[in-house]
Amino acid sequence: MVVDEVSLKFIKKNVTVRKDRDKGMWVGIWRLIPLKHLPYDEPRRNGKVPKILTHRLFPEAQYSIWIDGKMELIVDPLLILERYLWHDKHTYAIARHKHHKSIYEEADANKRRKRYARPLIDLQMNIYYYEGMEPWSLKKNTISDVPEGAIIIREHTALNNLFNCLWFNEVNLFTPRDQLSFGYIVYRLRGLFKFFMFQNCEYNSLFVLHLHTREHSSKVEWIKSLSEFKGNGSSMKESRSGFGLWTPYPKNLDSVILPPVVRTSKAG
């Protein structure tokens, strides 16, 4: 269980934390791994470090299963590896998004739900579209461009590790909404990266989902125009990430017109 120091303090105050002979901290079967010297101002970005760069935090691990904190695991992890990796000889498995298949649909939903600054999401999508990232269609070799990142099951192969590093680079450069950049990295690798994308409904057989009241972790999520970042608003820029949003792109994006988006679900 990877936690920041604020969460660790809360856990120690509310539940029993035992220590082993090597001073490792445990809650039940979960060993607490505190993250210190967090790299980002924005909590959501900090969460991407253990989520995407798992192979860097645990270099001796051959396999990993990432699950979000809102999920309660109810099956043996070895059965998850058997079902999603070993049985059909996959090395990387992730759930597909429940509502969206195109990153442009997901970007539109993120803007409507104020998941990050709208103009910054638009800029990221403009760059991706300019670089050839088309909306998802039946012509593509994947069943979707948009994952549900609450669970990631992977073998730590060299190619999977490369994919995760490239994916993290996009999260670091642009917005922390990792669903927007997953499909882009798949596209840039031109079919070299193979993965298994399973149905979202299979969650119910693996986890109990504990819904939580979402709190906005940054004022930047409410930004509607780039002008709000000027003057006194410049303090809202993240100081240690998102630099791709403020570095001039070498090409002219003024002519880019994003593909139209049709809402495929009321919930989306």
Side-chain angles (χ1 to χ4, degrees):
M1 184 189 302
V2 182
V3 295
D4 59 19
E5 294 185 86
V6 174
S7 300
L8 181 60
K9 183 177 179 180
F10 177 85
I11 291 172
K12 286 182 175 180
K13 184 178 179 181
N14 289 276
V15 299
T16 300
V17 176
R18 63 180 178 86
K19 291 187 177 182
D20 59 26
R21 65 181 64 185
D22 296 319
K23 298 184 179 179
M25 295 178 290
W26 297 78
V27 174
I29 66 170
W30 297 97
R31 181 176 181 180
L32 301 178
I33 308 295
L35 287 184
K36 300 181 180 180
H37 311 296
L38 299 177
Y40 300 120
D41 309 319
E42 216 272 333
R44 188 171 291 106
R45 284 193 198 270
N46 286 323
K48 307 307 177 187
V49 175
K51 175 179 181 177
I52 300 177
L53 297 180
T54 315
H55 65 285
R56 299 293 300 273
L57 292 181
F58 308 100
E60 296 184 5
Q62 185 177 356
Y63 297 92
S64 64
I65 303 172
W66 165 267
I67 60 174
D68 278 358
K70 63 185 178 183
M71 319 289 279
E72 179 186 352
L73 185 65
I74 58 174
V75 300
D76 187 332
L78 288 177
L79 295 179
I80 295 179
L81 293 178
E82 167 63 27
R83 163 67 179 89
Y84 294 103
L85 297 187
W86 300 336
H87 185 271
D88 292 311
K89 298 183 180 180
H90 300 297
T91 63
Y92 201 109
I94 193 167
R96 58 171 289 186
H97 196 279
K98 188 175 182 180
H99 303 295
H100 306 134
K101 294 183 178 180
S102 167
I103 64 171
Y104 303 105
E105 294 174 350
E106 177 67 9
D108 181 70
N110 273 259
K111 290 191 294 181
R112 284 187 285 101
R113 294 188 171 198
K114 297 182 176 65
R115 294 296 194 250
Y116 203 71
R118 297 176 187 179
L120 301 185
I121 291 177
D122 281 338
L123 177 58
Q124 183 179 7
M125 293 299 101
N126 283 340
I127 292 173
Y128 286 178
Y129 194 61
Y130 182 87
E131 295 187 352
M133 179 68 184
E134 294 290 335
W136 183 88
S137 70
L138 293 173
K139 297 179 181 179
K140 291 195 172 186
N141 293 325
T142 59
I143 64 172
S144 173
D145 286 335
V146 184
E148 174 58 69
I151 173 173
I152 307 174
I153 309 158
R154 56 204 152 184
E155 182 180 355
H156 292 183
T157 66
L159 184 56
N160 288 348
N161 294 347
L162 171 63
F163 175 86
N164 288 326
C165 287
L166 293 174
W167 187 15
F168 184 83
N169 283 346
E170 296 300 304
V171 172
N172 176 62
L173 276 174
F174 296 108
T175 66
R177 307 305 303 181
D178 53 34
Q179 297 100 322
L180 299 179
S181 49
F182 180 91
Y184 172 74
I185 299 301
V186 173
Y187 156 70
R188 291 307 300 264
L189 288 177
R190 305 292 185 182
L192 292 176
F193 176 66
K194 306 296 182 182
F195 63 99
F196 173 49
M197 185 171 273
F198 55 91
Q199 295 293 333
N200 185 280
C201 61
E202 295 187 32
Y203 272 11
N204 297 328
S205 63
L206 305 174
F207 309 100
V208 174
L209 175 62
H210 297 278
L211 298 177
H212 56 83
T213 302
R214 182 180 182 277
E215 296 181 1
H216 290 273
S217 57
S218 172
K219 293 181 180 179
V220 75
E221 298 180 358
W222 298 87
I223 295 295
K224 295 181 180 179
S225 68
L226 289 177
S227 62
E228 296 182 58
F229 285 107
K230 298 178 179 178
N232 294 333
S234 62
S235 61
M236 287 190 288
K237 292 182 182 178
E238 295 180 60
S239 63
R240 294 184 285 177
S241 59
F243 297 126
L245 299 167
W246 309 109
T247 303
Y249 188 69
K251 303 293 183 179
N252 184 1
L253 298 174
D254 293 340
S255 61
V256 174
I257 300 177
L258 292 177
V261 172
V262 177
R263 292 186 65 182
T264 55
S265 166
K266 294 181 179 179

